[in-house]
């Protein structure tokens, strides 16, 4: 499965990509929602992990836009909160079509559950099963 990770913070983007890859997924990254939308359309991603608070186009707008072109895409919305608090933003994301939501920081097992894979299954374990 291919996961598109979208976050405007370069360090968080790299960290999330490493977490997702460690769970055995193929990863593509995008530094903003516009690039993420193009990648989801062109790369055939199965899942998008999108930060809600980003400059220019935010994650909520990304969710609305991607639902029009890829209604089958699994969306995991993530947020650290900001002024509104993570709960309010993630509640809005769920209402717009996010399949799962996570409050930053989150664990590998939380991410694995949101992506639909048990955390105990790693890329090197899957080859033996």
């Amino acid at each position: 499965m291919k996961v598109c990770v979208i976050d405007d913070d370069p360090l968080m983007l790299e960290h999330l990509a490493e977490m997702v890859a460690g769970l055995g997924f193929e990863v593509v990254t995008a530094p903003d929602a516009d690039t993420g939308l193009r990648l989801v359309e062109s790369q055939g991603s199965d899942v998008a992990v999108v930060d809600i608070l980003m400059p220019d186009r935010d994650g909520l707008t990304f969710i609305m836009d991607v639902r029009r072109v890829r209604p089958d895409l699994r969306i995991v919305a993530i947020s650290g909160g900001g002024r509104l608090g993570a709960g309010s933003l993630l509640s809005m994301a769920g209402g717009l079509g996010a399949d799962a939501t996570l409050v930053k920081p989150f664990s590998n097992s939380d991410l694995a559950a949101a992506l639909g894979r048990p955390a105990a299954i790693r890329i090197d374990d899957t080859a033996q099963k």
Side-chain angles (χ1 to χ4, degrees), residues 3-111:
V3 178
C4 181
V5 178
I6 307 160
D7 199 306
D8 62 308
D9 179 334
L11 293 175
M12 179 57 74
L13 185 62
E14 182 180 342
H15 177 67
L16 288 169
E18 289 172 1
M19 287 176 73
V20 171
L23 292 168
F25 293 98
E26 182 180 346
V27 182
V28 294
T29 61
D32 57 65
D34 288 330
T35 304
L37 187 59
R38 283 194 302 274
L39 285 174
V40 162
E41 290 182 283
S42 66
Q43 299 282 321
S45 300
D46 302 295
V47 182
V49 176
V50 61
D51 186 30
I52 296 300
L53 293 177
M54 294 186 289
D56 300 324
R57 177 185 253 155
D58 63 27
L60 297 174
T61 305
F62 170 85
I63 293 168
M64 291 186 292
D65 292 344
V66 82
R67 278 290 174 235
R68 284 192 278 276
V69 296
R70 287 285 312 277
D72 61 317
L73 183 75
R74 181 168 181 76
I75 299 172
V76 178
I78 61 173
S79 181
R83 290 187 306 233
L84 292 176
S88 297
L89 292 170
L90 294 174
S91 178
M92 285 188 269
L96 292 171
D99 298 290
T101 60
L102 295 171
V103 177
K104 293 181 193 175
F106 46 82
S107 67
N108 280 351
S109 60
D110 290 338
L111 179 60

